[in-house]
Amino acid sequence: QGGIRMHGGHAALPLLMVCFSSMAGLSGAGRHQGTCSPGGMEVQCRRSAAFDCMPQPAACCPDWMAGLPDALPLSRLSIPGTHDSLSLFGSRRLRCQSWGLEAQLAAGVRFLDVRCKLARGELHIYHLCTFQQASLRGVLRRTLRFLRAHPGEAVLMRIKEELPIFPRPGFAARLHRCLLEEGQGRVWCREEVPTLGQVRGKIVVLEALAREVLGIPYEQLSISDAWNVLSLERKWARARRHLERAAGGDPTTMHLTFCSGNGLFTCPEEVARFVNPRCYQHLRRRGGQPVRWGVVIMDFPGAGLLRLIVESNAPWASGHITAAPSTPTVPLRQPHGRGDRCRSRHSSTHCPRRCPSGRTLLPAPRLCRRTSAPVEQKRVSSSCWAPGNL
């Protein structure tokens, strides 16, 4: 019921080396294009260390969090994530991933970006107007099934309404009910950023609702999401700046860097082919050092890029961080008048499960106003697809 669960020692540390051993054959990430001999035609590679659009990932790392200390707040971790995580169907302008949910989790992905529409009383997964053959209930069940098999892990899940021209009035209530019924008491619904020990085996909700609060308020985190890509170089420059801000900034602030994007003259796959190798090279320069990159969110990530993000946590697990004396969790000061809702959220009527009391082993991380440029409002055209919308 939300208590801190201690995991013995750091015996799981070798997993960081073992579970990525299948990537030994992968070459440098910068080589995201290649030449096929038949006809001498230049074709794009489907897999490199940084980019992968094959149906299955090249490596498996399902237990990389298990060796990290319980006292680490999630804000101090480097976490690989996927943008529009269930966007597997549709045209090339819509598809953002090639791996299914279970394959992403097994590969080490621990942040999921889930987009829902309320239709016929249920929350279905959509990208723009394309149904992704999944429901939120199914996503929750499948994620919790993975967590039952790997209880040392935790999964961050951003849940938002997809393209609400006019937000559906019943969306928040249906989401609340879905989390209550499917969460099985294993959904983190408090606003403060938890420690890893508090949420092992659980889903941590990052909500993006206009009025209700059912988890960590997404818009109060430090986010770089330059989704509308007019220049690939500028897209990468903004992502790089935010990665450096995460590496050198306040460790109590959660940082989310979207390396993904779309645009009038490009598509998610092309953006990933350009940005992912540059991200790989940028992170590789600091390889072997303890670096907090925050949540790095990608389309079509390669196994080598996932490895770099995961392994930047290894020195933490080796004992290079010590816990401060335990302090009570401090209520957060909420901007924009959200504090009143926060005070009432801890009743069972406002929370999918009764929020755990107790104490963190480190000073409670705080939420902050977004420090990067605000996320642009997305527009929808009458044809259901608007270039640049994700």
Side-chain angles (χ1 to χ4, degrees):
Q1 295 297 320
I4 297 178
R5 192 173 66 198
M6 302 301 294
H7 287 251
H10 304 306
L13 259 181
L15 287 168
L16 295 177
M17 301 295 295
V18 173
C19 56
F20 283 106
S21 60
S22 60
M23 295 184 303
L26 292 175
S27 58
R31 195 185 63 186
H32 62 281
Q33 289 189 339
T35 303
C36 286
S37 53
M41 294 181 61
E42 196 174 275
V43 298
Q44 294 175 323
C45 285
R46 300 187 66 190
R47 171 173 288 163
S48 72
F51 174 89
D52 192 344
C53 64
M54 298 289 283
Q56 293 295 326
C60 182
C61 192
D63 296 293
W64 67 265
M65 285 181 164
L68 302 178
D70 283 343
L72 274 174
L74 297 187
S75 61
R76 295 197 178 197
L77 297 181
S78 298
I79 299 174
T82 50
H83 153 261
D84 226 317
S85 305
L86 280 299
S87 183
L88 300 166
F89 304 98
S91 70
R92 195 163 177 258
R93 288 192 172 273
L94 288 175
R95 288 193 307 272
C96 299
Q97 309 300 331
S98 62
W99 307 338
L101 175 61
E102 287 80 4
Q104 291 183 37
L105 294 172
V109 170
R110 293 295 177 269
F111 171 92
L112 301 174
D113 180 22
V114 180
R115 316 290 182 92
C116 308
K117 284 186 179 182
L118 181 58
R120 298 179 298 278
E122 289 296 332
L123 294 173
H124 298 283
I125 309 302
Y126 273 81
H127 187 185
L128 300 180
C129 292
T130 300
F131 176 52
Q132 296 300 318
Q133 303 182 25
S135 68
L136 179 60
R137 288 183 181 273
V139 170
L140 292 171
R141 290 171 187 170
R142 292 156 65 190
T143 303
L144 289 172
R145 187 183 306 128
F146 171 84
L147 290 171
R148 282 194 295 271
H150 305 277
E153 307 301 291
V155 174
L156 284 71
M157 187 178 293
R158 177 201 183 195
I159 303 175
K160 71 180 293 285
E161 188 173 5
E162 175 71 340
L163 293 176
I165 303 175
F166 302 103
R168 298 290 298 272
F171 182 86
R174 178 58 61 176
L175 175 57
H176 180 192
R177 181 175 176 180
C178 190
L179 293 174
L180 176 66
E181 294 175 350
E182 302 296 338
Q184 305 171 20
R186 294 196 292 149
V187 175
W188 178 263
C189 62
R190 298 173 65 176
E191 291 190 48
E192 58 262 27
V193 178
T195 63
L196 182 55
Q198 289 175 294
V199 292
R200 291 192 192 274
K202 297 180 182 179
I203 295 172
V204 180
V205 175
L206 282 64
E207 53 80 15
L209 301 175
R211 297 179 179 87
E212 301 293 330
V213 178
L214 298 176
I216 299 174
Y218 177 79
E219 72 277 7
Q220 294 180 31
L221 308 178
S222 178
I223 301 168
S224 173
D225 186 8
W227 56 269
N228 190 8
V229 178
L230 300 177
S231 163
L232 292 172
E233 291 286 356
R234 284 199 295 270
K235 165 63 187 180
W236 164 237
R238 290 185 65 173
R240 183 185 66 244
R241 285 195 299 269
H242 199 259
L243 286 170
E244 287 305 309
R245 181 178 299 153
D250 184 352
T252 65
T253 297
M254 286 193 72
H255 290 72
L256 283 72
T257 303
F258 283 82
C259 295
S260 55
N262 205 343
L264 180 62
F265 303 108
T266 188
C267 67
E269 181 179 328
E270 291 173 353
V271 173
R273 288 184 181 277
F274 183 90
V275 174
N276 288 10
R278 286 157 178 79
C279 184
Y280 177 92
Q281 296 295 344
H282 184 72
L283 271 57
R284 198 164 99 171
R285 294 188 189 101
R286 304 273 290 273
Q289 304 175 31
V291 184
R292 190 276 302 262
W293 297 115
V295 185
V296 185
I297 304 163
M298 303 157 284
D299 288 337
F300 304 104
L305 184 49
L306 295 177
R307 174 181 56 81
L308 284 175
I309 299 168
V310 166
E311 288 186 348
S312 68
N313 294 296
W316 297 93
S318 301
H320 292 184
I321 180 174
T322 58
S326 60
T327 57
T329 298
V330 178
L332 299 170
R333 300 177 63 185
Q334 299 297 333
H336 308 303
R338 297 187 70 147
D340 292 339
R341 288 191 298 278
C342 175
R343 283 192 291 272
S344 63
R345 289 182 64 254
H346 299 293
S347 68
S348 59
T349 59
H350 288 80
C351 193
R353 57 180 290 272
R354 188 168 295 279
C355 296
S357 60
R359 292 144 61 91
T360 60
L361 298 182
L362 287 171
R366 66 177 183 272
L367 301 178
C368 70
R369 292 178 184 270
R370 184 174 303 161
T371 56
S372 59
V375 179
E376 295 89 343
Q377 291 296 318
K378 302 178 183 179
R379 296 179 175 85
V380 168
S381 69
S382 58
S383 62
C384 278
W385 178 80
N389 281 306
L390 301 185

